[in-house]
Amino acid sequence: MQFQLSEEHLAVQEAARDFAQRQLKPGVIERDKNMEYPTDQIREMSELGFMGMMVDPQYGGGGMDTLSYVLAMEEISKIDNSCSVIMSVNNSLVCWGIQAHGTEEQKAKYLPKLATGEWIGAFCLSEPEAGSDATSQRTTAIDQGDHYLLNGTKNWITNGGTSKVHLVIAQTNPELGYKGINAFIVETDWEGVQVGAKEDKLGIRSSDTHTIMYSDVKVPKENRIGEDGFGFTFAMKTLSGGRIGIAAQALGIAGGAYELSLAYSQERKAFGKEISRHQAIAFKLADMATEIEAAKMMVYRAAWLKDQHMDYSTASAMAKLYASGVAMRHTVEAVQIHGGYGFVKEYHVERLMRDAKITQIYEGTSEVQKIVISRSILKGQPYISTVNQSSLENA
């Protein structure tokens, strides 16, 4: 397999890294502390094309591949994960969901605004009683002939307060179980859509996470995505791609913590020499570099499989499971390397440690990823079977 990035990939990576260092790093500590939504930063990200990277150019997007998106997510996540999660939801859940499964009318109506960042989207699946068990939807969308009547509550919704478009998963025919679930495009200014208070979170504090209430919201029939009963399948397919974005976020968090730790350990002295020259610290750096590199290969490979239009569901679950674990382990180690300085906000690593935890929870907990992986294995579909020998030789 080829491990060298193309010139286009390198240009995307450099642009994202430069933007993150110049535009996101200044003020990131204060935004986190004050739970301040990054309005100016998201506008600049939109102008640079980061909010609709994979959307077809005919709808105003960048037309880039998944790997380009992953590279940008990785660099932005090294600095500001509130910005990267806003970017992730808009790109790999909302834009991709509509582009992959929407009608031509839906694409033409919504993608140009979403891809350019004029509108921000939200993915509304989780409920107070339906988190990991996405089949237990209590939000209902009852068929009223020319429209659906939407009622229910969604929680932990990223972009909940700023979004103009929601992709809402709701139960239409309870007697059919998960086969009775549908997905709908809902505009937030429609009557009956109510946004709850912003959540006060451990990490990703400047992104806006809200509870959303729907009360007798009239959803036009043309805003249903796919055939009747396609909603659960739509949610699972969309999340499989979204997990690549979160895996990239976790990879960026780990990489950011490593870069800060390496730089600090080469400046800080103890017992007459830089602490990086003490085996206790040098071995921590070696472990960090090795596991981050392993996570990178898994994340990039999942993106490559998606770009090759091959089955990537197991690969994305593995990438998210492993990368999120690496992010959690090595942000803790980064704080340890920094010592007392790591425990204060000025040195950034304590924020990365707080941000890392959510990557093990949202878009499918680590436990859910293990369910996905084990089911694939038990069905006789181990990870390596997703790529045949000829694909490897031609890669």
Side-chain angles (χ1 to χ4, degrees):
M1 296 180 69
Q2 297 292 330
F3 292 97
Q4 187 173 358
L5 296 174
S6 69
E7 290 186 8
E8 181 182 353
H9 289 139
L10 290 171
V12 169
Q13 184 181 54
E14 180 60 30
R17 184 175 181 83
D18 181 66
F19 171 75
Q21 295 290 334
R22 287 190 304 102
Q23 302 298 112
L24 296 184
K25 194 170 185 178
V28 65
I29 294 173
E30 288 302 311
R31 291 195 299 273
D32 174 82
K33 178 182 177 181
N34 299 325
M35 293 172 52
E36 177 187 345
Y37 185 81
T39 302
D40 293 340
Q41 290 73 23
I42 295 301
R43 184 182 66 251
E44 291 171 3
M45 288 170 66
S46 300
E47 292 171 355
L48 290 170
F50 288 132
M51 300 305 287
M53 294 184 69
M54 298 177 288
V55 174
D56 192 304
Q58 69 174 307
Y59 304 116
M64 299 183 189
D65 61 12
T66 310
L67 183 54
S68 295
Y69 163 63
V70 161
L71 291 167
M73 275 290 297
E74 182 184 357
E75 293 301 329
I76 289 171
S77 298
K78 289 178 180 180
I79 303 300
D80 190 337
N81 288 284
S82 293
C83 284
S84 70
V85 73
I86 295 166
M87 171 182 166
S88 176
V89 169
N90 201 69
N91 271 278
S92 55
L93 295 183
V94 180
C95 286
W96 188 87
I98 294 174
Q99 178 163 284
H101 301 289
T103 64
E104 185 55 43
E105 290 74 20
Q106 290 169 349
K107 295 176 189 178
K109 182 176 182 180
Y110 293 108
L111 284 178
K113 292 182 178 180
L114 289 165
T116 58
E118 179 182 349
W119 285 6
I120 300 296
F123 189 79
C124 302
L125 174 64
S126 294
E127 299 182 0
E129 302 298 327
S132 294
D133 182 10
T135 62
S136 300
Q137 296 291 305
R138 296 192 179 182
T139 296
T140 58
I142 305 304
D143 193 337
Q144 299 293 306
D146 64 339
H147 67 274
Y148 291 90
L149 202 60
L150 182 67
N151 284 279
T153 300
K154 298 290 184 178
N155 64 348
W156 319 122
I157 304 304
T158 301
N159 301 341
T162 53
S163 50
K164 296 295 185 182
V165 172
H166 293 172
L167 299 190
V168 183
I169 312 301
Q171 179 62 261
T172 298
N173 299 294
E175 67 280 2
L176 297 179
Y178 75 92
K179 293 183 179 180
I181 294 173
N182 279 303
F184 304 92
I185 303 173
V186 176
E187 297 181 29
T188 58
D189 60 357
W190 289 350
E191 185 177 355
V193 179
Q194 182 179 355
V195 179
K198 185 176 182 178
E199 300 288 354
D200 188 354
K201 308 186 296 290
L202 172 72
I204 55 169
R205 287 174 52 81
S206 61
S207 67
D208 59 322
T209 306
H210 296 258
T211 295
I212 309 293
M213 289 77 72
Y214 303 100
S215 179
D216 288 338
V217 179
K218 292 182 178 180
V219 182
K221 278 291 183 69
E222 60 266 25
N223 276 43
R224 187 187 72 199
I225 299 176
E227 298 296 322
D228 189 23
F230 180 65
F232 181 75
T233 300
F234 169 80
M236 295 303 101
K237 285 180 177 290
T238 304
L239 286 173
S240 286
R243 286 166 184 158
I244 298 175
I246 300 305
Q249 182 184 46
L251 179 62
I253 292 171
Y258 168 74
E259 290 177 6
L260 289 167
S261 297
L262 179 61
Y264 178 82
S265 70
Q266 292 174 318
E267 296 172 359
R268 175 72 170 175
K269 291 185 177 181
F271 305 104
K273 59 183 178 182
E274 295 83 1
I275 63 172
S276 61
R277 295 173 61 196
H278 291 285
Q279 189 179 79
I281 302 301
F283 279 15
K284 287 181 187 296
L285 294 170
D287 286 341
M288 292 172 79
T290 301
E291 291 199 16
I292 290 168
E293 190 67 17
K296 183 177 294 187
M297 293 299 99
M298 295 182 74
V299 177
Y300 287 13
R301 184 172 183 273
W304 179 82
L305 287 170
K306 187 171 184 287
D307 287 334
Q308 301 304 310
H309 307 290
M310 301 171 76
D311 182 8
Y312 59 87
S313 57
T314 305
S316 67
M318 285 183 167
K320 182 181 182 297
L321 174 65
Y322 187 73
S324 63
V326 168
M328 195 69 249
R329 287 192 296 276
H330 293 308
T331 52
V332 171
E333 287 286 52
V335 171
Q336 190 71 16
I337 289 170
H338 281 74
Y341 292 104
F343 210 66
V344 297
K345 295 184 183 300
E346 180 184 353
Y347 284 75
H348 295 282
V349 288
E350 65 85 28
R351 185 185 74 258
L352 290 174
M353 184 178 73
R354 289 186 285 106
D355 288 347
K357 186 58 194 171
I358 192 60
T359 67
Q360 295 181 308
I361 298 172
Y362 57 17
E363 294 196 32
T365 63
S366 292
E367 291 76 15
V368 166
Q369 305 316 311
K370 291 180 181 180
I371 292 173
V372 172
I373 296 163
S374 61
R375 284 178 177 173
S376 175
I377 293 169
L378 294 173
K379 288 179 181 178
Q381 300 172 338
Y383 181 48
I384 194 64
S385 71
T386 56
V387 182
N388 60 36
Q389 187 61 37
S390 63
S391 297
L392 288 170
E393 291 171 351
N394 295 328

